[in-house]
Amino acid sequence: MKAIVQDAYGESEVLRVEEVGRPELGDNDVLVQVRAAGVDAGVWHLMAGRPYLLRLFGFGLRSPRLRIRGRDVAGIVAEVGRSVTRFSPGDEVFGTSLTGTYAEFTSTGEDRLEHKPVNLGFAEAAAVPVSGCAALHGLRDAGRLRPGQSVLIIGAGGGVGTFAVQLAKAWGADVTAVCSGSKAELVRALGAGRVIDYSREDFADGTGRYDLILDIAGNNPLRRLGRALAPGGTLVIAGGEGGGRIFGGVDRQLRALLLSPFSRRKLRILMSSEGRQDLTDLKDLIESGKLAPAVDRVYPLGEAPAAIRRLRAGHVQGKAVIAVG
């Protein structure tokens, strides 16, 4: 099968199309013929091997342990392991895989998949799992969002942010979104009551205080974020793109953990995963019309490096997707 592979850490030039063998199928696994795969910030981090702290977590010290990139997947079940009960060949599914999805086939656990929402095509469905689950965990679980609260979403124009704006709106929050001016129209259309262009306005100037702040892949210091929090408010840090090569954006999360016991505000970090129930919850929201993926552009498999470069440059509005089949 064709796949996008890499044998060394680096920027997108380390990626290439190569013929590789199909993945092996375990008893609880599903072989999916990939029709589309999403592009998220984690793809770049694992491709580049940065921050270096990632390499200590089993991803490979000197080179990537897993050669194929990508986690989001939408496609058609080609084969199932003998213990699989929820899926059959021919089923249309979406979810995630830990064996790489920028390939014609991927193998993944049964509990990492759900039937594809009936009102989405494959490209749209592939944009949902990683980013949708992160938004779900950030607002519902870490943030414990309640109707009527004021919510500030920083990074609202990206993959996680576009889902977070819609979820917060659907759950009855008063939503203020921070993004670049080029993404303001999209974010406003998704339900943000107010949009702040970070190049023109300062969300922490003291004119607004928020019950919940979800900071997605930002680099704002904790003290600055605290100035925008209401007394007793909650700050959820979902990643970070600042810092050095060793800790990267993780250093803010570590500091938040250390400071949280001594703060009147709640400082929480988001370590998202994509479980079966989360996918089911997202599917229900999508099929009810309360949530929809914002797909920026669909790239053919061979142009996956270009999609990653565009994401890294901050030009993607919502989610970029790789079309495979």
Side-chain angles (χ1 to χ4, degrees):
M1 68 175 187
K2 288 185 174 63
I4 296 288
V5 303
Q6 67 176 112
D7 293 311
Y9 289 122
E11 295 296 336
S12 58
E13 63 270 10
V14 302
L15 302 178
R16 67 183 186 278
V17 179
E18 185 175 292
E19 286 284 342
V20 299
R22 287 192 184 184
E24 297 181 357
L25 193 67
D27 289 349
N28 297 300
D29 292 340
V30 177
L31 183 68
V32 178
Q33 182 181 4
V34 180
R35 297 294 299 274
V39 183
D40 64 274
V43 170
W44 180 85
H45 285 290
L46 292 177
M47 177 189 75
R50 291 171 50 191
Y52 293 152
L53 189 63
L54 280 175
R55 305 187 188 193
L56 300 177
F57 294 158
F59 294 104
L61 286 176
R62 297 182 180 275
S63 61
R65 182 178 59 82
L66 176 65
R67 299 178 71 214
I68 303 173
R69 293 276 65 79
R71 290 179 63 198
D72 284 316
V73 64
I76 301 171
V77 174
E79 187 180 345
V80 298
R82 61 183 181 182
S83 299
V84 172
T85 59
R86 296 177 53 234
F87 303 105
S88 301
D91 287 351
E92 297 182 348
V93 295
F94 79 125
T96 60
S97 171
L98 299 181
T99 63
T101 59
Y102 297 170
E104 292 180 314
F105 291 88
T106 189
S107 175
T108 189
E110 179 182 22
D111 58 352
R112 288 186 168 273
L113 293 173
E114 179 56 275
H115 290 92
K116 181 176 69 66
V118 296
N119 53 340
L120 294 187
F122 288 109
E124 293 174 306
V128 175
V130 170
S131 298
C133 285
L136 196 69
H137 291 308
L139 294 175
R140 183 192 65 188
D141 302 331
R144 300 175 187 174
L145 175 64
R146 300 188 303 275
Q149 287 188 314
S150 58
V151 178
L152 181 71
I153 298 171
I154 304 172
V160 178
T162 49
F163 283 110
V165 168
Q166 295 177 78
L167 288 172
K169 181 69 174 179
W171 291 335
D174 178 18
V175 183
T176 299
V178 179
C179 62
S180 64
S182 63
K183 301 177 183 180
E185 183 178 349
L186 168 65
V187 171
R188 192 174 289 110
L190 294 175
R194 181 189 176 202
V195 179
I196 296 175
D197 178 352
Y198 62 75
S199 68
R200 296 176 179 271
E201 299 179 67
D202 181 6
F203 67 83
D205 61 4
T207 60
R209 292 292 183 94
Y210 303 91
D211 300 310
L212 170 62
I213 298 177
L214 177 63
D215 185 11
I216 304 158
N219 54 15
N220 295 287
L222 294 179
R223 182 171 295 182
R224 184 164 183 263
L225 292 167
R227 291 202 299 266
L229 265 182
T234 300
L235 167 64
V236 178
I237 299 177
E241 295 302 316
R245 291 174 176 265
I246 296 176
F247 291 102
V250 180
D251 57 341
R252 288 192 314 156
Q253 295 175 310
L254 295 175
R255 288 200 301 272
L257 281 177
L258 292 173
L259 291 172
S260 184
F262 309 101
S263 174
R264 290 178 298 173
R265 300 179 175 97
K266 305 174 187 70
L267 308 180
R268 294 173 178 159
I269 65 172
L270 175 63
M271 303 296 289
S272 183
S273 60
E274 304 86 32
R276 172 184 171 184
Q277 187 58 54
D278 298 322
L279 293 171
T280 301
D281 292 343
L282 290 170
K283 176 187 175 184
D284 291 343
L285 287 162
I286 291 167
E287 291 184 339
S288 69
K290 296 179 181 178
L291 187 66
V295 175
D296 176 88
R297 187 181 299 181
V298 179
Y299 296 78
L301 181 63
E303 294 182 18
I308 296 170
R309 286 194 297 272
R310 190 160 184 265
L311 175 72
R312 185 63 179 166
H315 299 321
V316 173
Q317 297 190 32
K319 197 80 177 269
V321 172
I322 308 299
V324 181

